[in-house]
Amino acid sequence: MKPEWNQWAQEAKQQFPEANSSLLPLLYRIQHAEGWLSDETIRDVASLLGLTTQYVESVASFYSLFYRQKVGRNVVHVCVGLSCALAGSDSVMEHLEHKLGIREGQTTADGEYTLLEAECLAACDLAPVIQRNLRFVGHVDPENVGRVLSDDGKEVNS
Amino acid sequence: MSQQYYLLRNREVPDIDQMPVYLAHGGYQALRKALNDFKPEELVDMVKKSGLRGRGGAGFPTGMKWGFLPNDGRKRYLVVNSDEAEPGTFKDREIIEHNPHQLIEGIIISSYATKAREAFIYCRGEFLFGSEQLNRAVREAYEQGFLGENILGTGFSLDLNVYRGAGAYICGEESALLESLEGKRGNPRLKPPFPAIAGLYGGPTVINNVETIANVPVIVSKGADWYTSMGTAKSPGLKIFSVSGRVQRPGNYEIPLATPLSTLINDYAGGMLPGRQLKAVIPGGSSVPLLTPDKVDTPLDYESILQAGSMLGSGGCIVLDDHVCIVGATARLVRFYREESCGKCTPCREGTYWMTDILERLEHGLGTLEDLDTLADVADNIGGKCFCPLGDASLGVLVSALQHFHEEFVAHVEQHACPMGERLYDTVNN
Ligand SMILES: Cc1cc2nc3c(=O)[nH]c(=O)nc-3n(C[C@H](O)[C@H](O)[C@H](O)COP(=O)(O)O)c2cc1C
Ligand code: SF4
Ligand code: FES
């Protein structure tokens, strides 16, 4: 457990009127700092909030944005929803897999990138769409996916 | 097309997401008017009179929903559903990213009207920029005295919290959303009791969609009569339609209800891509039945779309052209429900798995005619037999596709391949 987590737990508890509502915000804050949620982190969060480890685990595992496995410094989500598929998202995924040398769900050996599928990201006007660390990049050109990885993750908004 | 904006005002006013710009363009005037000139009950009546219906999908009359809150002195909550994840829908994201103050103004007015003292925005976890925008705008609203104690000296007080979801479509369903907001897994609750009676932390709770609440300041400033001058008697007012798929100009279009679907597709969204024909439209997000081209002139209001065989839903309009394989498109959508089923009840959890399996087999030319019967049978075992509406939602496109495009399913079996090629779509914009 990191020394500052106790403080974060108190702040989360204060922000929301009932104690359990602080669980998701606290998990987010710790994941943001640590990159992912290890078994040990789950235990720590449980003790910080006075919950059981099993409870925290059952909640964390329900949500796809809580990473219970180590992920790369950059998490790339490729939208595979219908509108993106109609604009070529399957090609985007294939080109990214090729470029990174990994399959969907995997992390590059240098720990730089994790490649994941996303369901419709509510940005179908920008199809095909990816998110890098939850920042949108729209109108992705499958032939030029390098752009997605090399730029600074600046968000493209509609 | 020239257009007047009342909800997507960011299209006309750059930087309207910033407090000074919003104020300079009449922002928070509706709040002043509501708090100074109206009693809460009068505002509820105004919203009833406006005929505003929920824009989250079900189209339930908003004023009527507000009227269900029991008068028993318990603390009331207002929760805004910003979990937007219905495939094909992207209107709420534009509001929270680019016009967040209109939503916040709507929340304060709606809370005053419903006598809520604490409000929440449940923001989809993937909307990182959106939640940053909301947090900043909320902070600005506190600084201006529009939130907190004794708002504008009227004695009315309200706190507003932004809460981030963490990646689960089911949390858009209102009772699952409340579970998630209480720090639990997002499994739906048994209803009744409805949230108006026992919602957040067991208290009386109003839940409305982002677009619904963003309409409230407009109704307060322009009046219920103005609002009902648009649309039909049962479906009055304005709606944002998100158009995506095989059209020239995908995007959000804010138009009066009862505008013909063909006008939305051809005039606003620029029509089909060159040389392409319309094959089908999913008019209200991925959960509603598709419409065939003979229905393209249907007015976009709740009743007409229902009569045409679909639902207005969230207004997420996905357009398919003659190069799109219906089996592949259906497989893609049903797969979404498999991924997002919360797993609480068997027909949905297992059924969406089986249907996806069969559809993907069919799409790859590996299906049999018997598979088609099994598919219909599984669908029959889901319809009306699930704990929450997600199960039924997984059937909307599938059942209508089987009905209108049966020969295309059979062709996949007989040719042992997809007649339209391997992929749903290969290259961008062609
Ligand atoms: C599976 C499922 C997902 C839903 N997702 C959303 C959503 O993302 N946003 C939304 O506003 N309503 C969603 N709804 C509808 C809500 O349950 C609820 O009816 C709505 O938020 C009420 O607001 P309204 O009356 O203003 O439309 C969903 C419903 C179901 C069954
Ligand atoms: S219908 Fe699906 S999403 Fe709804 S409760 Fe059952 S398993 Fe969960
Ligand atoms: S389908 Fe990709 S953003 Fe909607």
Side-chain angles (χ1 to χ4, degrees):
Chain A
M1 189 178 318
K2 300 283 164 64
E4 61 273 24
W5 292 6
N6 197 9
Q7 172 72 22
W8 294 356
Q10 299 316 317
E11 284 171 18
K13 278 191 212 168
Q14 270 156 23
Q15 197 193 342
F16 293 99
E18 310 248 339
N20 278 7
S21 292
S22 53
L23 176 56
L24 271 68
L26 184 60
L27 288 171
Y28 260 129
R29 196 162 177 187
I30 292 176
Q31 177 170 280
H32 187 68
E34 301 292 307
W36 65 299
L37 301 170
S38 68
D39 288 350
E40 198 186 334
T41 303
I42 295 289
R43 276 197 297 277
D44 292 341
V45 168
S47 76
L48 283 167
L49 296 179
L51 302 164
T52 65
T53 305
Q54 289 79 357
Y55 180 81
V56 175
E57 167 62 24
S58 83
V59 172
S61 63
F62 186 85
Y63 298 96
S64 63
L65 291 181
F66 290 135
Y67 306 134
R68 288 288 284 109
Q69 289 178 357
K70 207 164 190 301
V71 290
R73 275 176 287 279
N74 294 286
V75 178
V76 177
H77 280 101
V78 179
C79 178
V80 298
L82 177 58
S83 301
C84 282
L86 294 175
S89 65
D90 292 355
S91 292
V92 172
M93 180 62 98
E94 275 168 33
H95 280 83
L96 276 169
E97 287 182 331
H98 185 73
K99 180 111 191 153
L100 294 171
I102 53 175
R103 304 302 298 268
E104 187 275 318
Q106 296 181 331
T107 300
T108 52
D110 61 1
E112 205 54 43
Y113 292 102
T114 297
L115 188 59
L116 297 173
E117 282 181 350
E119 297 303 336
C120 175
L121 287 166
C124 324
D125 50 337
L126 308 175
V129 163
I130 69 136
Q131 281 192 324
R132 189 171 109 173
N133 296 331
L134 303 185
R135 302 284 173 190
F136 281 106
V137 183
H139 301 303
V140 176
D141 177 359
E143 307 292 334
N144 191 13
V145 287
R147 186 180 71 90
V148 167
L149 306 176
S150 60
D151 70 17
D152 59 358
K154 209 173 143 291
E155 190 146 18
V156 183
N157 285 304
S158 44
Chain B
M1 292 215 45
S2 79
Q3 226 199 311
Q4 183 83 42
Y5 293 105
Y6 298 95
L7 303 168
L8 302 175
R9 292 190 64 206
N10 51 294
R11 298 290 180 91
E12 279 171 345
V13 185
D15 299 325
I16 199 163
D17 60 318
Q18 308 290 323
M19 179 65 91
V21 179
Y22 188 67
L23 287 174
H25 287 84
Y28 291 100
Q29 289 301 326
L31 174 66
R32 281 178 202 281
K33 184 173 169 187
L35 262 51
N36 292 326
D37 303 350
F38 293 91
K39 295 198 193 69
E41 295 76 13
E42 292 169 341
L43 288 169
V44 176
D45 282 343
M46 185 194 293
V47 171
K48 276 185 185 158
K49 237 182 100 202
S50 77
L52 175 65
R53 296 170 63 166
R55 305 295 193 228
F60 194 84
T62 304
M64 195 193 288
K65 184 187 270 191
W66 292 3
F68 290 154
L69 292 164
N71 258 323
D72 53 10
R74 289 182 295 156
K75 181 176 175 182
R76 292 176 173 183
Y77 298 96
L78 184 115
V79 177
V80 176
N81 191 338
S82 177
D83 196 48
E84 189 171 57
E86 170 89 357
T89 315
F90 45 92
K91 63 197 177 64
D92 300 338
R93 186 175 64 87
E94 181 165 348
I95 295 174
I96 64 172
E97 286 184 351
H98 301 290
N99 194 12
H101 280 297
Q102 183 158 340
L103 173 64
I104 293 169
E105 184 173 11
I107 292 171
I108 307 167
I109 298 171
S110 305
S111 299
Y112 172 72
T114 58
K115 302 182 183 167
R117 293 294 172 266
E118 181 140 19
F120 293 83
I121 303 173
Y122 186 95
C123 183
R124 182 173 175 185
E126 287 84 347
F127 292 170
L128 185 56
F129 179 60
S131 65
E132 288 166 356
Q133 286 287 75
L134 287 172
N135 276 311
R136 181 182 51 78
V138 166
R139 209 161 47 240
E140 290 175 337
Y142 269 103
E143 282 160 14
Q144 291 284 328
F146 299 143
L147 284 168
E149 295 295 311
N150 193 17
I151 295 167
L152 300 173
T154 59
F156 173 64
S157 303
L158 179 71
D159 277 313
L160 174 57
N161 303 285
V162 179
Y163 186 94
R164 257 181 92 197
Y169 165 68
I170 189 59
C171 291
E173 192 283 324
E174 56 188 19
S175 68
L177 183 153
L178 294 174
E179 290 285 289
S180 181
L181 196 40
E182 292 180 2
K184 300 176 190 151
R185 294 166 67 87
N187 293 123
R189 293 176 181 171
L190 191 63
K191 288 190 259 187
F194 290 93
I197 311 297
L200 185 63
Y201 311 130
T205 304
V206 170
I207 304 183
N208 278 125
N209 169 261
V210 166
E211 185 190 350
T212 311
I213 297 293
N215 269 282
V216 171
V218 186
I219 292 168
V220 169
S221 35
K222 310 218 44 134
D225 290 339
W226 173 82
Y227 201 75
T228 54
S229 72
M230 295 169 291
T232 67
K234 285 183 172 168
S235 298
L238 293 163
K239 172 92 189 83
I240 305 173
F241 289 91
S242 307
V243 187
S244 69
R246 310 299 297 169
V247 293
Q248 303 257 15
R249 287 196 300 272
N252 283 323
Y253 298 97
E254 175 186 323
I255 54 178
L257 282 162
T259 304
L261 177 57
S262 49
T263 304
L264 176 66
I265 295 175
N266 295 325
D267 298 347
Y268 287 91
M272 308 303 292
L273 298 174
R276 298 297 164 78
Q277 300 292 316
L278 180 67
K279 184 169 183 176
V281 188
I282 303 164
S286 62
S287 303
V288 309
L290 52 76
L291 293 175
T292 42
D294 55 305
K295 299 285 167 54
V296 75
D297 289 321
T298 308
L300 287 163
D301 60 78
Y302 295 93
E303 289 68 32
S304 303
I305 293 288
L306 195 63
Q307 210 176 6
S310 187
M311 286 180 283
L312 199 69
S314 62
C317 183
I318 309 173
V319 180
L320 310 181
D321 69 23
D322 52 349
H323 287 222
V324 176
C325 168
I326 289 290
V327 179
T330 307
R332 188 63 64 126
L333 289 179
V334 173
R335 184 180 180 278
F336 166 79
Y337 294 95
R338 180 192 70 184
E339 295 297 310
E340 298 299 333
S341 167
C342 84
K344 182 180 174 118
C345 67
T346 315
C348 167
R349 183 187 62 238
E350 304 296 323
T352 53
Y353 175 87
W354 281 102
M355 294 193 304
T356 307
D357 223 39
I358 295 171
L359 283 163
E360 289 184 345
R361 197 153 68 221
L362 287 164
E363 168 60 4
H364 292 114
L366 302 170
T368 62
L369 289 176
E370 206 188 341
D371 276 336
L372 292 178
D373 296 335
T374 313
L375 196 54
D377 190 46
V378 176
D380 196 46
N381 278 304
I382 293 177
K385 299 183 179 71
C386 291
F387 187 81
C388 91
L390 187 144
D392 281 341
S394 74
L395 303 178
V397 170
L398 172 68
V399 171
S400 57
L402 281 171
Q403 182 191 343
H404 296 298
F405 295 93
H406 196 262
E407 62 293 355
E408 201 169 318
F409 283 83
V410 174
H412 278 73
V413 174
E414 288 176 346
Q415 297 178 28
H416 304 292
C418 174
M420 324 208 56
E422 272 282 291
R423 295 251 184 77
L424 254 185
Y425 232 85
D426 257 318
T427 31
V428 188
N429 293 331
N430 78 345

